[in-house]
Amino acid sequence: MTSSSRPGVYQALNSGHDDADGPLRPRTFDEFVGQRRVVTNLSTWIEAARKRGGVLDHVLLSGPPGLGKTTLAHLVAGALESTLKVTSGPALERPGDLVGLLTGLEQGDVLFVDEIHRLSRTVEEYLYAAMEDRAVDVVIDQGPAARSVRLTLAPFTLIGATTREGLLSHPFRARFGVVEKLVPYPAADIRTVLLRSAERLGCALDGEAAAVVAKRSRGVPRIANRLLRRLRDVADLHNAGTVDATVVQDGLAMLGIDELGLEETDRRLLAVLARLGGGPAGLKTLAVAVGEEEDTIEQVYEPHLIRLGFLKKTPRGRELTEEGRARLELGSSDSEAPGLFAG
Ligand code: ADP
């Protein structure tokens, strides 16, 4: 996950995995809310592999951060009754890092590589040879004595997760037999996630309040869960005990999150575009102007603004729409968020 020197509230809410994600993670496919097509497909391929007594094909899960890719990897391994080994693209710097991992795999193990688009080209090439041939070539000795030795690998399943499927090379992508895309959740699904999470956290959450929070979670379960934790804090501090409409209103105002789920960085992005005459503006310009990384803007902020119809992408750059301009004028009285999570 990209990080930024000036994280906005939203990024703090949807930054990479942290310890807090674990306890709320669904433990079975039944507990995994929504994304029915993806869940049905995966369950089918898993059952078929089990029936055959074979190994599940390699799986690529793509989609924005916080939508459940890691959770699904755990669920797939669980359903296969396999051991899950977890690593990430940036952690595998050299082919040597990968060889150790691959040769350590046992029959039927699942290897989860998060942020798989961040593998270096050399490691990527090494990995896709291993995916196809179930073998790796290693060079032993140096100089004239150097020779290549082929090590056979135990049959395994690779699950790759990516927020940038387009960055994977064609031959690499082609080696995944199962490719599933996760999309943002409808508010009704997020409401279900919130109610289940509240139960797990032992926190009383009003049904109506859950619906309000769901609408402001941008269709992302991780954001919903983190908002819930902060709202529980507010409820505890106010001695209210229950996360109800008042707690939600106060809490979200503290966090600077408006009724559409927009936070300070979203508003800054719209404001920068307005100052540039509505655009078109390049991603780089926007990133510098709001102090976020280009990746973060592209994967985290922009999709929600585009879905709301406030911003559009054209071949010449990003442009502010009429709706975006109207929204900005409406919200121009909003004060800066105090940044409850920042820093
Ligand atoms: P990703 O790997 O796509 O960034 P994660 O799998 O880490 O996302 O999910 C982030 C958090 O959101 C986890 O704590 C998980 O509990 C929750 N979550 C994600 N998808 C679902 C879902 N479909 N149902 C319930 N909780 C979910």
Side-chain angles (χ1 to χ4, degrees), residues 1 14 17 20-26 31-35 63-72 112 114 161 163 182 185 193 196-197 220-223 225 229:
M1 200 65 41
N14 196 24
H17 311 288
D21 278 342
L24 295 180
R25 214 161 247 151
E31 285 178 25
F32 191 87
V33 178
Q35 311 277 353
L67 293 194
K69 298 180 293 299
T70 305
T71 306
L72 281 174
F112 176 58
D114 199 7
T163 51
L182 298 186
Y185 294 64
V193 170
R196 290 201 187 157
S197 298
V220 180
R222 177 178 293 132
I223 297 181
N225 283 337
R229 282 198 204 87

Side-chain angles (χ1 to χ4, degrees), residues 77-237:
L80 290 166
E81 296 177 45
S82 302
T83 305
L84 182 74
K85 305 230 162 114
V86 178
T87 184
S88 73
L92 298 171
E93 280 178 28
R94 290 160 297 123
D97 300 331
L98 184 65
V99 172
L101 244 171
L102 290 173
T103 52
L105 293 174
E106 289 176 24
Q107 159 96 20
D109 278 358
V110 177
L111 175 64
F112 176 58
V113 184
D114 199 7
E115 297 187 78
I116 200 160
H117 58 275
R118 293 181 64 190
L119 287 175
S120 69
R121 225 2 84 102
T122 347
V123 176
E124 183 186 295
E125 278 170 18
Y126 220 84
L127 184 56
Y128 69 63
M131 288 163 80
E132 187 148 286
D133 308 337
R134 302 234 145 95
V136 281
D137 293 316
V138 290
V139 177
I140 53 172
D141 276 346
Q142 289 177 339
R147 60 200 187 280
S148 177
V149 176
R150 175 153 275 225
L151 300 175
T152 310
L153 305 173
F156 70 99
T157 298
L158 173 74
I159 303 184
T162 180
T163 51
R164 306 280 303 273
E165 194 183 335
L167 293 184
L168 265 55
S169 72
H170 183 71
F172 188 30
R173 197 180 172 282
R175 276 156 175 95
F176 290 94
V178 178
V179 178
E180 295 290 347
K181 236 184 245 310
L182 298 186
V183 290
Y185 294 64
D189 284 350
I190 296 288
R191 183 176 174 273
T192 310
V193 170
L194 282 162
L195 291 169
R196 290 201 187 157
S197 298
E199 212 176 296
R200 283 248 185 108
L201 291 171
C203 137
L205 172 67
D206 201 83
E208 242 173 78
V212 175
V213 182
K215 277 206 198 115
R216 301 191 187 195
S217 301
R218 308 169 75 120
V220 180
R222 177 178 293 132
I223 297 181
N225 283 337
R226 295 196 184 170
L227 286 178
L228 177 64
R229 282 198 204 87
R230 295 294 71 80
L231 294 170
R232 179 180 61 162
D233 290 345
V234 175
D236 287 348
L237 287 176

Side-chain angles (χ1 to χ4, degrees), residues 258 260-262 302-311 321 323-324:
D258 71 18
L260 296 175
L262 299 182
E302 226 174 48
H304 190 58
L305 291 171
I306 293 174
R307 262 199 311 279
L308 292 171
F310 294 164
L311 181 148
T321 62
E323 290 84 352

Side-chain angles (χ1 to χ4, degrees), residues 264-297:
E264 195 49 39
T265 303
D266 297 297
R267 290 187 286 269
R268 283 215 310 271
L269 273 170
L270 296 180
V272 167
L273 273 174
R275 256 185 272 134
L276 295 169
L283 186 57
K284 218 178 219 121
T285 311
L286 292 177
V288 171
V290 301
E292 291 285 354
E293 291 190 7
E294 289 172 46
D295 262 8
T296 310
I297 296 200

